[in-house]
Amino acid sequence: MFFRMVRGALIRQRGKMLLIAFTIALGASLATAMLNTMLDVGDKVNEELKTYGANITVKPKDSSLLADLYSVEEDGGALSTSYLAEDELGKLKTIFWAFNIVDFAPFLERQVTVNGSQTAAAVGTWFNHHLDLPTGESLDAGVTGLRSWWEISEGAWLDEQNTTADHEIMLGKSLAESLGAKVGDQLTLGGSEKELTATVTGIYDAGGDEDDKLFAGLDLVQELFDLDGKVASIEVSALTTPDNELAERAARNPAALSAADYETWYCTAYVSAICYQIQEAITNSAASAVRQVADSEGAILDKTKLLMLLITILSLVGAALGISNLVTASVMERSQELGLLKAIGAFDGPITALIMTEVLITALVGGVAGYFMGFGFAQLIGRSVFGSAIEMKVMVIPIVALLIALVTIAGSLPAIRMVLRLDPAEVLHGSKA
């Protein structure tokens, strides 16, 4: 009998029930979209921010100590007398968080003479350097990825895998103008040991101090200054987790952590943990975070997640208000039916269960439809904002189910309160004047 009454009510009031289901579906879809995106947005935001440069700098321990003591900032190693070994760069991909290292490049900067007269800063680096890793994998790393925002105004990026790339260079826009050089010109570069002739393969516009420099293959600058196999610094682009109180304590002194805290910190992709592991892998190195980049990543990620959380809460509040109005209207329409049930002896409990069963069945239909709609919305967000799909998070299903159940119950409370206060005599015979 109970379920026959439920079925009859659903059929008779199918219009209002469809509106309730639609309201719940909207709330569930927004909650699903925001929660899936929020749980997947960390890596997406980090990947987007990685296009704006490195967030970790690695230097020789001695030069880093001197810079800290005397506040001397080394520009790409121009002042460096200590070096890192180029053949150790592959070890960056052997640390615990190797898969979070998305790109890196070594740098060796020196002052050179150009055509025997003008001096300029020459930066030796990798462009698209092919590297065979100790793990058996291989990758292409270099400034082509780390400086992806550079605008190549003439020519093209130096292709390190071209057989003639050893004697090719790229000029900053300002330097090219002062030299009167263009793509295809040959320039004579003079170092401390010898002179070499190089061809200009591209002119870039970096929008900063790098426009006054020339970039060349690392081998060329090493040869000019007899620094074979040596680099002054390394820039690393890594996917990181925003810092918290544990990461801040570890950054100050990892040795002061308890064993449990140390393991948690070491096995989490905090920028300080990745720096620590880099120092373990690269001999005589000091790795430090580029704080402006690292802090910005954390702040942007936190604000993005907060925005999505607020949208989720507001959508559920809106759904609860909509459910409240619709269920209350439904109870008012059925007041005589419910009054008759009370008049023939039905208790408040079974009547409340009847109404809640109807609403929860409707919520189930709306919730299922809303979940799949929401996952579709999440894909639209992922494709349009991040250029990639949003991964379906299984844990979102029970969270959305719980939220929809709570919202449905909360939205039904005013109607239940009306049922409990219902006087059968007034409903069936009308209130007395």
Side-chain angles (χ1 to χ4, degrees):
M1 177 63 73
F2 180 84
F3 289 104
R4 286 177 61 186
M5 294 177 67
V6 170
R7 185 180 62 183
L10 290 174
I11 294 173
R12 288 195 308 274
Q13 293 201 315
R14 55 184 175 274
K16 278 193 173 55
M17 293 304 171
L18 284 173
L19 284 175
I20 293 173
F22 181 71
T23 302
I24 292 171
L26 286 179
S29 64
L30 282 171
T32 300
M34 292 300 104
L35 289 173
N36 272 296
T37 305
M38 187 170 67
L39 292 172
D40 199 41
V41 76
D43 289 344
K44 306 293 184 188
V45 170
N46 272 316
E47 288 168 7
E48 287 291 313
L49 291 172
K50 290 301 156 275
T51 63
Y52 298 100
N55 56 351
I56 295 174
T57 300
V58 187
K59 296 180 180 179
K61 189 176 294 183
D62 295 342
S63 64
S64 179
L65 179 60
L66 288 173
D68 290 340
L69 287 174
Y70 299 106
S71 299
V72 177
E73 289 293 332
E74 298 181 25
D75 189 4
L79 305 177
S80 180
T81 55
S82 300
Y83 302 96
L84 301 170
E86 181 185 0
D87 59 9
E88 287 196 335
L89 265 69
K91 293 181 179 179
L92 289 170
K93 295 294 286 183
T94 64
I95 66 172
F96 183 85
W97 286 107
F99 289 110
N100 284 49
I101 305 292
V102 295
D103 208 346
F104 56 90
F107 292 88
L108 179 62
E109 182 174 329
R110 286 293 181 270
Q111 291 291 319
V112 298
T113 59
V114 183
N115 292 337
S117 57
Q118 188 169 337
T119 60
V123 182
T125 186
W126 290 352
F127 288 84
N128 56 338
H129 187 81
H130 185 76
L131 191 66
D132 293 317
L133 304 174
T135 59
E137 301 172 273
S138 61
L139 59 83
D140 293 336
V143 294
T144 304
L146 288 178
R147 300 290 193 274
S148 59
W149 68 90
W150 280 7
E151 181 182 343
I152 308 301
S153 54
E154 294 181 40
W157 280 100
L158 189 154
D159 183 3
E160 208 172 317
Q161 297 175 30
N162 188 328
T163 55
T164 62
D166 288 344
H167 293 91
E168 292 180 343
I169 59 174
M170 297 183 68
L171 300 179
K173 183 179 179 181
S174 300
L175 180 59
E177 290 175 355
S178 65
L179 292 172
K182 59 184 184 297
V183 172
D185 287 354
Q186 290 192 325
L187 304 178
T188 301
L189 306 180
S192 62
E193 298 298 321
K194 62 176 67 175
E195 288 187 345
L196 293 173
T197 300
T199 303
V200 179
T201 188
I203 296 174
Y204 62 85
D205 183 0
D209 294 340
E210 290 173 324
D211 286 341
D212 293 313
K213 301 177 181 180
L214 68 87
F215 275 68
L218 182 61
D219 292 344
L220 187 148
V221 177
Q222 288 173 339
E223 186 177 353
L224 283 173
F225 292 90
D226 195 22
L227 294 172
D228 185 45
K230 297 178 180 179
V231 300
S233 64
I234 308 167
E235 289 186 10
V236 180
S237 179
L239 300 175
T240 60
T241 298
D243 282 355
N244 57 13
E245 183 269 340
L246 172 61
E248 291 171 358
R249 285 194 290 120
R252 290 192 294 269
N253 184 11
L257 298 177
S258 66
D261 283 348
Y262 178 87
E263 183 177 357
T264 300
W265 167 73
Y266 194 90
C267 297
T268 306
Y270 298 122
V271 67
S272 56
I274 294 177
C275 287
Y276 186 81
Q277 293 167 24
I278 288 173
Q279 290 175 178
E280 290 181 318
I282 306 295
T283 305
N284 192 40
S285 66
S288 59
V290 181
R291 272 296 152 199
Q292 296 91 331
V293 176
D295 292 345
S296 295
E297 288 175 1
I300 292 171
L301 186 57
D302 289 342
K303 290 177 181 178
T304 302
K305 288 184 175 180
L306 177 60
L307 175 62
M308 292 181 177
L309 185 60
L310 288 174
I311 293 173
T312 301
I313 293 172
L314 290 174
S315 68
L316 293 175
V317 169
L321 292 173
I323 293 168
S324 176
N325 289 332
L326 291 168
V327 176
T328 300
S330 173
V331 168
M332 290 178 66
E333 283 186 8
R334 299 170 61 192
S335 59
Q336 288 190 334
E337 173 191 342
L338 299 175
L340 180 59
L341 288 173
K342 280 194 169 188
I344 62 176
F347 294 106
D348 288 336
I351 294 176
T352 301
L354 175 67
I355 294 171
M356 290 306 304
T357 301
E358 296 167 2
V359 175
L360 288 174
I361 290 174
T362 306
L364 177 63
V365 174
V368 171
Y371 176 81
F372 289 104
M373 287 168 56
F375 188 68
F377 290 155
Q379 300 313 307
L380 287 176
I381 294 170
R383 295 291 183 187
S384 59
V385 177
F386 303 109
S388 60
I390 298 293
E391 182 182 348
M392 179 183 286
K393 304 293 184 181
V394 177
M395 64 180 296
V396 170
I397 298 175
I399 293 174
V400 170
L402 178 61
L403 290 173
I404 292 303
L406 292 175
V407 165
T408 303
I409 293 170
S412 302
L413 288 179
I416 297 302
R417 192 162 52 245
M418 179 182 293
V419 171
L420 297 177
R421 293 177 180 176
L422 196 66
D423 185 350
E426 290 184 2
V427 171
L428 295 175
H429 301 289
S431 57
K432 295 180 181 180

